Amino acid sequence: MSKDWFSKSLAGMLLGCVLSLLFSGLFAWLTPGGPGAPNKFQTTMWVTAPVWAAIMSFVFFFRSGAQAWRWLGGATVLAAAALAACRQFLS
């Protein structure tokens, strides 16, 4: 077992949660109808859990905990920028 499993797990839990919520927001904005489409909120809510579970599963493929933090942190920043751009330009 890897010696830095705790760091990888923490990165997956914390950054994975934020990243899955950002992906949920991107899903809401980028699918037809935008976030205001009727009954879309339920689907948007339920897409969060599988994305988070996938991130938590794949986080152990990183060679180190630091690498997991860097990659997930970078992906989180990019997803936040993409969501901000969607909210700015698609509203």
Side-chain angles (χ1 to χ4, degrees), residues 22-45 47 51 82-83 86-87 90-91:
L22 289 169
F23 280 150
S24 177
L26 287 170
F27 173 81
W29 277 97
L30 296 176
T31 52
N39 298 324
K40 190 178 198 177
F41 60 90
Q42 190 73 24
T43 306
T44 304
M45 178 186 71
V47 83
V51 171
L83 183 58
C86 287
R87 292 183 66 181
L90 298 179
S91 59

Side-chain angles (χ1 to χ4, degrees), residues 12-76:
M13 282 190 294
L14 298 178
L15 292 176
C17 178
V18 174
L19 192 55
S20 66
L21 291 171
L22 289 169
F23 280 150
S24 177
L26 287 170
F27 173 81
W29 277 97
L30 296 176
T31 52
N39 298 324
K40 190 178 198 177
F41 60 90
Q42 190 73 24
T43 306
T44 304
M45 178 186 71
W46 283 102
V47 83
T48 305
V51 171
W52 192 10
I55 292 169
M56 283 295 298
S57 298
F58 289 113
V59 76
F60 296 103
F61 285 121
F62 290 110
R63 292 187 185 271
S64 67
Q67 188 181 27
W69 279 96
R70 281 193 302 270
W71 277 97
L72 289 178
T76 301

